[in-house]
Amino acid sequence: MCGIVGYCGNKQAAPILLEGLGKLEYRGYDSAGIAVRDGADKVRIVKAKGRLAELANKTDDGKAMKGSCGIGHTRWATHGEPSENNAHPHHSDDYEVVGVHNGIIENYIEIKDKLLKKDYTFYSETDTEAVVKLIDYYYKKYRLGPVDALAKTMVRVRGSYALAVMFKDYPDEIWVARKDSPMIIGVDKNASFVASDVPAILKYTRNVYYIGNMEMACLKDKEVHFYNIDGEEIGKDLTNVEWDAEAAEKGGFEHFMMKEIHEQPVAVRDTINAYLKDDNSIDLEGVGLKDEDLKMLSEVHIAACGSAYHVGMVARYVIEKLARVPVRVELASEFRYRNPILAPDSLVIAISQSGETADTLAAIREAKKLGIKTMGIVNVVGSTIARESDHVMYTMAGPEIAVATTKAYSAQLIAMYLFAIKLAFVRGNIDGKRYDELLNELRTLPDKIERSLEDKERLQWFTAKFSNVHDVFFIGRGIDYAISLEGSLKMKEISYVHSGAYAAGELKHGTISLVEDGTLIIGVLTQSDLYEKTLSNMVEVKSRGAYLCGITSSGHYEIEDTADFTVYIPKTEEIFEASLAVVPLQLMGYYMSVARGLDVDKPRNLAKSVTVE
């Protein structure tokens, strides 16, 4: 997975490639490389292990590499350790074919064995080298042009890929192919670009094409041509990207994550306004969901990974409470492997920030194979999940750069709230008065999130005090348990502190044996009918020496008799509390990471868009 950038134009390519790769650093990577052609001269390839700065140093920020056509890549290791040998770009034995690749080739060992018998040699442990040499094999054996060589390769390989390839005989062209891995193509009057994500090229153009599954394209300096798997030229519609280029900058904050935490009120407000009209009606016509469809639903299945899965956990409580429709929340990585039983009139909802999460995409495809309607909740227009779902609901979070999600999570919550309220109203489970009450309160959430951010100085002090802690436990019941899951994930993924989230009632069934003097327990208590029960669980662990932090809504001041440190969030409808309670948990994870001197935006071993299984 990770980042691809390509450029064909009348400027020096290498500096543009390095700059574009820099915009994709948020995706996570362990090595990088670029390949540039200067007319008919031999291609020049430079690679480096580690951060992009190493590659920039090797190439004098790109100025040392002549040529106006090139491709670049940031790699996150899937096959072979991080090293210069395994870094992209990869090349054929004679350097006549050079390519970069995102995704994973499932049958690369089979391909490699075939090519070894054809006297090819291999220098890396990667699946990418095998596919580049397979392209070279077809290109030479059948004396094919690039489009036919790529098409034969696409039919031969199994897996996911976004490929960008240069051929010696076509020195001013980049050829690309795509299956199940994101890729966009940008055009300007004197240049064309290819990238795995919009920020890489946003500085140069807002005019992009979305290349479809099993399609290819040829990029030249002033034109782009598209082809289907049969090699036939096809047409494409040009799309204008409306993202602000400054959205990919830190805007005065020390880290992207903190900037994005503060952008949550805007992301939430924009997502609300996209579907909630001035007359207090929820408009899902653009999503493609009609009232008749909602009335017929017998059950909902939510498939997601990571933080998106935690959104699904909150949504389960909200949908079942409001609409009385049974909901199952599935880890997308498990969904298709357990041979799921899905009622014909059910709906599978896939939640993904990027719209490219491989496991979540597989869940969508499994549901469609079984004849079940699907809906994607994604943040990226034109992403694969958006295109392949029967219905799509876009969140309006804008580009999210930090690996740990914050504003995308909050926007996804809003999408699920709107869906739940609409479903409940259409099915007659709530009346007009309750419907208006919920929507009026929903409109207040952006301002209340702003108020939740005002407590950050206290949270910074608190987390700094515990910066050397080894274990943190998060507990809660119902929606509070779902909130705890996200709080625990934020803590572990960016601060590397071992943490776990538990349904508070389960503590006594084993986990309480881990509690000792000084163990930090963070209790989430926002649900009034469960408040006293969770408080009792906190008393139990305090008696065993735990240090208690409580997160609750304003008014529950008696908690201070039990908790050692308390965070109060504004009052709202209790089914919406996740939108407010998550804010201090995000800040705790952030400040813990800062206090420990870690790379907040790029935590080790993680990638933003997980496009391999």
Side-chain angles (χ1 to χ4, degrees):
M1 66 177 74
C2 296
I4 288 176
V5 179
Y7 170 80
C8 281
N10 56 11
K11 297 179 180 179
Q12 190 176 7
I16 294 173
L17 297 176
L18 287 170
E19 185 176 40
L21 292 175
K23 299 296 185 183
L24 299 178
E25 284 190 294
Y26 66 89
R27 296 169 72 91
Y29 67 101
D30 49 54
S31 58
I34 56 177
V36 176
R37 288 200 186 277
D38 185 17
D41 291 350
K42 183 180 178 180
V43 65
R44 187 175 176 196
I45 301 173
V46 181
K47 307 179 187 182
K49 179 183 174 182
R51 290 299 183 192
L52 201 56
E54 296 294 324
L55 184 61
N57 289 337
K58 279 190 170 186
T59 61
D60 189 20
D61 292 325
K63 295 191 287 291
M65 296 182 74
K66 294 182 179 179
S68 58
C69 185
I71 53 179
H73 188 268
T74 49
R75 175 180 184 258
W76 187 72
T78 57
H79 293 77
E81 66 181 7
S83 69
E84 284 193 22
N85 263 354
N86 289 329
H88 302 208
H90 287 287
H91 57 83
S92 60
D93 292 347
D94 57 9
Y95 285 81
E96 290 196 5
V97 177
V98 178
V100 296
H101 159 238
N102 277 358
I104 191 165
I105 305 300
E106 295 173 0
N107 60 334
Y108 84 99
I109 294 177
E110 174 188 319
I111 293 168
K112 187 173 179 178
D113 289 342
K114 169 188 172 74
L115 294 174
L116 285 169
K117 294 174 184 176
K118 303 296 181 182
D119 296 325
Y120 278 82
T121 60
F122 287 82
Y123 56 84
S124 80
E125 304 167 272
T126 67
D127 54 343
T128 303
E129 184 187 2
V131 76
V132 168
K133 290 183 173 176
L134 184 63
I135 295 169
D136 179 75
Y137 170 74
Y138 287 130
Y139 180 67
K140 292 190 172 96
K141 178 178 180 180
Y142 298 104
R143 299 185 183 279
L144 300 173
V147 67
D148 293 315
L150 282 171
K152 279 189 173 293
T153 302
M154 293 167 75
V155 172
R156 181 72 173 79
V157 303
R158 297 193 305 272
S160 60
Y161 49 81
L163 284 163
V165 183
M166 298 191 297
F167 295 82
K168 178 185 176 184
D169 299 330
Y170 299 82
D172 299 314
E173 299 175 2
I174 298 174
W175 288 80
V176 303
R178 176 185 178 273
K179 177 179 180 287
D180 297 342
S181 197
M183 174 177 279
I184 60 164
I185 294 171
V187 292
D188 193 16
K189 59 183 179 180
N190 292 315
S192 57
F193 306 80
V194 62
S196 50
D197 207 351
V198 171
I201 63 174
L202 202 55
K203 175 180 176 179
Y204 299 99
T205 183
R206 295 178 176 277
N207 298 315
V208 302
Y209 294 103
Y210 291 101
I211 182 170
N213 245 5
M214 302 302 286
E215 291 180 355
M216 299 166 283
C218 174
L219 284 68
K220 303 181 182 181
D221 57 355
K222 295 182 181 179
E223 56 189 272
V224 179
H225 299 274
F226 293 89
Y227 305 88
N228 61 22
I229 192 65
D230 297 319
E232 301 166 336
E233 189 163 355
I234 56 177
K236 284 283 176 184
D237 293 328
L238 198 62
T239 301
N240 182 260
V241 176
E242 297 180 357
W243 285 1
D244 182 354
E246 292 184 3
E249 302 300 330
K250 294 180 182 176
F253 290 95
E254 185 177 355
H255 300 96
F256 281 115
M257 183 178 176
M258 182 57 94
K259 174 177 179 280
E260 289 157 8
I261 288 173
H262 281 78
E263 288 174 342
Q264 287 180 114
V266 174
V268 166
R269 186 176 290 110
D270 289 347
T271 303
I272 292 171
N273 291 340
Y275 302 101
L276 184 54
K277 304 308 174 187
D278 292 339
D279 62 356
N280 243 20
S281 64
I282 300 172
D283 182 8
L284 297 183
E285 288 296 317
V287 177
L289 281 175
K290 299 179 180 178
D291 290 358
E292 294 73 20
D293 300 325
L294 298 176
K295 288 177 182 177
M296 294 296 293
L297 279 185
S298 64
E299 59 188 34
V300 172
H301 295 257
I302 300 173
C305 305
S307 292
Y309 171 77
H310 302 155
V311 171
M313 290 289 287
V314 175
R316 179 179 69 180
Y317 292 108
V318 176
I319 293 171
E320 290 188 342
K321 182 171 185 176
L322 292 180
R324 306 305 298 160
V325 174
V327 179
R328 292 196 66 166
V329 187
E330 310 271 1
L331 287 166
S333 56
E334 294 289 325
F335 182 81
R336 64 173 167 156
Y337 295 116
R338 66 172 190 82
N339 194 18
I341 301 171
L342 307 175
D345 50 0
S346 61
L347 176 69
V348 172
I349 299 176
I351 308 175
S352 166
Q353 185 278 141
S354 67
E356 304 290 350
T357 310
D359 289 318
T360 309
L361 181 57
I364 281 281
R365 290 172 175 166
E366 179 70 14
K368 290 175 72 69
K369 186 172 73 175
L370 297 172
I372 306 301
K373 288 293 184 182
T374 59
M375 182 173 78
I377 295 180
V378 301
N379 194 47
V380 181
V381 175
S383 57
T384 304
I385 290 175
R387 292 197 304 273
E388 296 196 14
S389 298
D390 297 304
H391 312 286
V392 59
M393 194 171 185
Y394 287 112
T395 52
M396 305 300 166
E400 189 176 62
I401 307 302
V403 168
T405 185
T406 51
K407 63 177 181 173
Y409 170 92
S410 291
Q412 289 164 356
L413 280 178
I414 295 302
M416 292 308 308
Y417 294 156
L418 288 164
F419 173 79
I421 295 167
K422 177 76 170 182
L423 182 64
F425 183 61
V426 166
R427 295 169 68 92
N429 293 91
I430 59 174
D431 58 20
K433 180 182 177 183
R434 179 62 173 154
Y435 177 80
D436 286 337
E437 288 174 352
L438 290 170
L439 295 182
N440 289 336
E441 184 61 27
L442 196 68
R443 292 184 191 273
T444 71
L445 288 182
D447 290 337
K448 290 180 177 178
I449 293 173
E450 289 272 14
R451 287 163 51 195
S452 298
L453 288 164
E454 294 173 358
D455 207 21
K456 61 185 180 182
E457 284 79 12
R458 287 182 69 242
L459 288 167
Q460 183 175 16
W461 170 85
F462 171 71
T463 50
K465 180 179 177 181
F466 283 91
S467 60
N468 293 319
V469 72
H470 296 292
D471 302 284
V472 182
F473 298 139
F474 295 76
I475 63 172
R477 292 172 180 255
I479 287 177
D480 291 337
Y481 168 55
I483 299 168
S484 297
L485 288 168
E486 179 62 8
S488 176
L489 179 60
K490 284 292 156 289
M491 182 65 71
K492 69 182 68 164
E493 67 182 335
I494 60 172
S495 71
Y496 314 153
V497 172
H498 172 260
S499 66
Y502 301 93
E506 284 296 296
L507 278 175
K508 62 179 69 70
H509 298 290
T511 306
I512 201 167
S513 67
L514 299 173
V515 177
E516 57 188 11
D517 284 347
T519 301
L520 177 57
I521 306 287
I522 298 175
V524 184
L525 308 90
T526 70
Q527 307 297 298
S528 58
D529 57 335
L530 299 169
Y531 175 86
E532 290 185 355
K533 292 185 179 297
T534 303
L535 195 61
S536 295
N537 297 130
M538 293 177 69
V539 170
E540 289 174 353
V541 292
K542 186 171 186 177
S543 67
R544 289 158 175 83
Y547 187 97
L548 300 184
C549 169
I551 298 176
T552 189
S553 52
S554 296
H556 289 297
Y557 304 118
E558 69 283 352
I559 193 175
E560 295 183 14
D561 294 334
T562 301
D564 300 292
F565 181 83
T566 306
V567 180
Y568 296 102
I569 58 174
K571 279 190 174 181
T572 186
E573 283 280 348
E574 291 188 357
I575 58 172
F576 300 153
E577 288 285 8
S579 291
L580 305 182
V582 75
V583 174
L585 296 178
Q586 293 168 346
L587 290 168
M588 285 181 187
Y590 172 83
Y591 285 126
M592 185 73 80
S593 180
V594 171
R596 292 164 71 91
L598 302 173
D599 191 341
V600 176
D601 291 330
K602 304 183 192 74
R604 66 190 180 199
N605 304 330
L606 298 181
K608 183 66 175 174
S609 181
V610 185
T611 56
V612 295
E613 188 175 351

